[in-house]
Amino acid sequence: MEDHEIVTLYWGRDPRALLESQRQYGGYCYRIAWNVLENQEDSDECVNDTWLRAWNAMPPQRPSRLSLFLGRITRNLALDRWREKRAERRGGGRVSLALEELSECVTKGDSTSEQVEAHQLTEAIGHFLETLPREDRQLFLGRYWYCRTIGELGIVFSLKENAVKTRLFRIRGKLREFLEKEGITV
């Protein structure tokens, strides 16, 4: 079934939308959740919560790329769950390492002005990613969106771990320079 057909099912409040979403994107969403949480039960729960969030979001939203829409929901749910767990035990892991690496380029804010700045930052990062060669963009997204480990990225891109680390370091440097040119303080 095509994405637009599944979205139409959501808009028509047809429960088959949930089944089709699970069938087509269950594995994709599970992988996103797993990369953040590294826990089967929590990952399964995030995926199930994704379908509920999608159900509640459509209508009014009508995503043109359902995979990205569902992936974003899953990632946000997984990060929320990760923060809850981290607050409980203050542990490390792949997500904290990825976020720590990016912290030198971006900051988190909670006030209204900081939220506006965060929106501007999101747009700027999107523009920055468009300037990167395809493989660098995929490395960046693999590490900081999908929270893949350095080892996993090395396997996917046929690179040694040190090469992955070096390229990510250089990409973060380019990001920092790009953001400074855009007038975004880091």
Side-chain angles (χ1 to χ4, degrees):
M1 185 173 274
E2 298 290 322
D3 282 3
H4 70 278
E5 294 171 311
I6 297 172
V7 171
T8 300
L9 291 174
Y10 276 107
W11 272 68
R13 310 314 279 166
D14 189 329
R16 289 182 300 157
L18 304 173
L19 297 172
E20 287 299 323
S21 295
Q22 174 63 36
R23 188 180 65 74
Q24 271 193 243
Y25 296 110
Y28 168 73
C29 290
Y30 180 84
R31 184 68 182 162
I32 292 171
W34 174 262
N35 283 345
V36 173
L37 299 167
E38 297 180 322
N39 177 291
Q40 182 180 356
E41 186 177 303
D42 289 342
S43 297
D44 285 336
E45 195 169 320
C46 281
V47 171
N48 289 330
D49 289 348
T50 297
W51 314 141
L52 176 63
R53 288 265 176 103
W55 182 266
N56 291 333
M58 292 184 275
Q61 295 185 44
R62 186 178 281 275
S64 57
R65 296 203 47 204
L66 189 58
S67 61
L68 296 178
F69 180 76
L70 296 173
R72 174 183 278 171
I73 291 171
T74 303
R75 183 175 184 273
N76 289 340
L77 288 167
L79 286 172
D80 289 346
R81 174 73 46 92
W82 176 81
R83 285 184 193 103
E84 288 172 16
K85 297 276 187 188
R86 185 169 182 253
E88 290 172 10
R89 59 182 157 89
R90 297 286 179 217
R94 73 168 72 188
V95 175
S96 59
L97 288 174
L99 294 177
E100 185 179 313
E101 289 171 8
L102 267 184
S103 69
E104 64 193 43
C105 300
V106 297
T107 58
K108 181 183 183 263
D110 294 323
S111 73
T112 303
S113 64
E114 289 171 327
Q115 288 176 3
V116 169
E117 290 171 2
H119 178 71
Q120 292 171 339
L121 176 63
T122 301
E123 287 183 0
I125 290 173
H127 294 302
F128 167 73
L129 290 173
E130 293 170 1
T131 69
L132 292 177
R134 180 184 172 114
E135 191 169 277
D136 284 351
R137 182 172 49 246
Q138 290 174 333
L139 269 171
F140 184 91
L141 291 172
R143 181 69 173 151
Y144 303 114
W145 178 261
Y146 293 106
C147 297
R148 289 188 170 157
T149 65
I150 299 296
E152 289 172 336
L153 292 171
I155 291 168
V156 169
F157 293 98
S158 301
L159 297 169
K160 293 182 179 182
E161 288 189 19
N162 282 340
V164 172
K165 289 178 185 177
T166 300
R167 284 181 63 180
L168 287 170
F169 177 78
R170 289 179 181 157
I171 294 168
R172 289 192 311 270
K174 289 178 186 176
L175 173 60
R176 191 177 316 105
E177 289 175 17
F178 181 88
L179 293 175
E180 288 171 358
K181 285 179 186 174
E182 293 291 313
I184 298 173
T185 52
V186 291

